[in-house]
Every structure is written in structure tokens, then in C-alpha cells.
Amino acid sequence: SCRIGKLCANSLASAHAAVGAKIEEVSMYVNEWLQFQALWDLRRENVYDELEEDLPRWLQLLQEVVQNRSTFDVTGKSKSFGHIITDFEQVQVKVNSQYDQWQQEIVARFASLLSVRKNVVYLEIEEARKDLEGQHLEASSTQQAVTFITLVQQCRRKVNAWQADVELFCVGDNTLLRQRFQFPKDWIRHTRIETEWSALQQILERQAKIVEDQSDALRAKIEAEEQVVNQKIGDINAQWAEDLMSLVS
């Protein structure tokens, strides 16, 4: 009888553990649905204040929203866990509706910010390209040479930021395209920006090489002119001291 009692106890323990494990599995699945309660609790103003105009973070949020949709955007109306069946039809309808609303708002907000940034960057790149094309290095004019070099250096300092923007625009456009976003007529496609960006890189590379090739000659010319200026300053100081002595005597 003791042996039978021990076997029964072991069987009950195993059954209890199996039931507990199954309940835990069901609870985890139910919690996945309960987390969408945040869709009703979240205020859009808080999201806007948190992300501000940080495009990479807006893009990340949009991508996460799309990815997380797979949790509830499934076929069927229930899920079976052995003898336990969870019916999520009504919840799914409500979550889908609320999620659609949030997703549309995020898409619209991201598209608006992206459009503004694309317009600004496109004009900056276009202006930089035109400025570089309109400049020529003339060794005879020190002032013109300094202006040319300064322009090239300023453009090179902005290249990394522009490169990141151009890459973001490509990903952003493709993401919006997958969301079936209706692009307005005045929308600047990323391919147009990439064409302008490529033209800028080419002219910048040519102008930077000119600066590099002429750097020694320019340095010598600037040093020579510096000596002339210093000499003139010395002559003026000497003349001033001589005139002052004449007034004193």
C-alpha cells in the first residue's frame, strides 16, 4: 500500500506540474494580448514629445510597429493549448482597429518629418554642388584661393551627416512604400536626392584634389605675402615712432 501511495503521489505531482506548465503557457499567450491595452492608455502627445523630430527613432518605431503586428494579425479565431482553448476573436477585432489607427498616425507623422528633412537636405546638397562648381582655384589671388579652400573644407565636414541622411531617406521611402503610403506630388524621391548627392561627391573629389595638388604652392605664396604684410606693418610702426619723436622734440 505504501508503494501504491508513493506511485499515486508521484503521479499527482507530475500531473500538477504538467497542469501548472500548461497554465503558465496559456498565461504567457494571454499576456501577449493584454500588452495591447497600452494602445488605449498611450497618449500621442507623449510620443511626439519623446521622439520630437528624431527621424531615426521615428523610423525605428514604425518598423517595430509593423513587426509587432504579427502577434495578433493571424488567421483563425482561437488558439488551442491541449484541452484549453483561448478565443480571441473579439479582442482581435478591437486591437486591429486601434492598432490601425496608431499605425496610420505614426506613418503620417514620420512621412511629414521625413518630407521636411528631405527638402532641407536636398537644397543644402544642391547649393553646395553649385557653389563648388562655381569656384576655381587661382594662384594669382590669395583671397580667392582662401575662399576656395574654405568652401571645400566646409563641404567635407558636412559629408558624413549628409551621407547618413541620404541612407535614411532611402530606407524611409521604402518603408513608406511598403505601408502603401500615398506620396504627394511634391514629394522628393530618394533617387533624386541620390543623384544630386552623387554629383556633389564627384565635384568635391575633384576640387579637393586640386587643393591637395596646389597646397605647397599656395602655402609658399601665403607665407611670402605674410612677410610683405609684416614688413609694411614694421615700416608703418617705424614711421609712426619717427613722427612721434618729431612732435616731442
Side-chain angles (χ1 to χ4, degrees), residues 22-245:
K22 185 62 65 175
I23 292 176
E24 178 66 21
E25 184 181 359
V26 174
S27 297
M28 291 177 63
Y29 181 74
V30 171
N31 286 335
E32 289 182 4
W33 284 97
L34 291 177
Q35 69 179 344
F36 292 108
Q37 176 64 40
L39 294 173
W40 284 265
D41 298 335
L42 191 62
R43 298 179 60 85
R44 63 177 58 85
E45 295 80 6
N46 295 338
V47 177
Y48 293 170
D49 292 342
E50 172 68 22
L51 299 183
E52 296 181 336
E53 298 182 2
D54 192 332
L55 275 174
R57 294 181 66 191
W58 275 103
L59 177 59
Q60 180 183 358
L61 174 62
L62 179 55
Q63 291 172 334
E64 290 176 353
V65 165
V66 174
Q67 181 179 0
N68 290 337
R69 194 179 189 93
S70 61
T71 302
F72 61 87
D73 196 5
V74 294
T75 58
K77 302 176 182 179
S78 63
K79 185 176 178 63
S80 174
F81 297 87
H83 294 290
I84 303 176
I85 298 177
T86 59
D87 187 336
F88 53 75
E89 181 180 6
Q90 294 183 5
V91 176
Q92 185 182 37
V93 171
K94 293 181 180 180
V95 170
N96 256 316
S97 176
Q98 190 72 4
Y99 207 88
D100 282 341
Q101 181 180 342
W102 262 109
Q103 187 168 341
Q104 290 171 6
E105 291 187 10
I106 293 172
V107 167
R109 180 62 174 173
F110 172 71
S112 175
L113 294 174
L114 183 65
S115 177
V116 172
R117 182 59 184 162
K118 288 172 75 174
N119 290 335
V120 170
V121 172
Y122 178 78
L123 290 177
E124 288 179 348
I125 293 176
E126 183 182 45
E127 182 180 2
R129 191 259 304 165
K130 291 180 178 178
D131 287 344
L132 286 175
E133 289 179 342
Q135 291 290 334
H136 303 282
L137 183 59
E138 297 179 6
S140 59
S141 172
T142 302
Q143 180 61 43
Q144 194 277 340
V146 171
T147 300
F148 180 87
I149 295 172
T150 301
L151 182 62
V152 171
Q153 290 177 338
Q154 288 176 343
C155 190
R156 294 179 74 172
R157 282 195 292 268
K158 297 178 181 178
V159 162
N160 289 338
W162 282 334
Q163 177 71 52
D165 282 328
V166 172
E167 293 174 355
L168 176 65
F169 297 157
C170 179
V171 178
D173 271 14
N174 290 333
T175 300
L176 291 176
L177 191 63
R178 287 193 294 270
Q179 295 303 304
R180 297 180 176 86
F181 176 73
Q182 296 297 317
F183 294 98
K185 293 182 179 180
D186 60 348
W187 185 272
I188 301 179
R189 297 284 183 169
H190 71 88
T191 50
R192 182 179 173 188
I193 298 178
E194 288 173 350
T195 299
E196 189 66 40
W197 171 239
S198 178
L200 172 62
Q201 288 180 301
Q202 292 176 14
I203 185 64
L204 178 59
E205 183 178 354
R206 291 197 300 269
Q207 302 295 50
K209 189 175 187 308
I210 292 174
V211 171
E212 183 179 352
D213 293 342
Q214 299 294 325
S215 60
D216 291 339
L218 288 171
R219 187 180 298 106
K221 181 176 177 58
I222 292 173
E223 290 175 352
E225 292 195 4
E226 182 181 15
Q227 292 179 0
V228 173
V229 171
N230 290 336
Q231 181 62 45
K232 289 181 178 180
I233 293 175
D235 293 342
I236 292 173
N237 287 335
Q239 184 63 47
W240 182 80
E242 183 178 339
D243 294 342
L244 183 61
M245 290 297 296

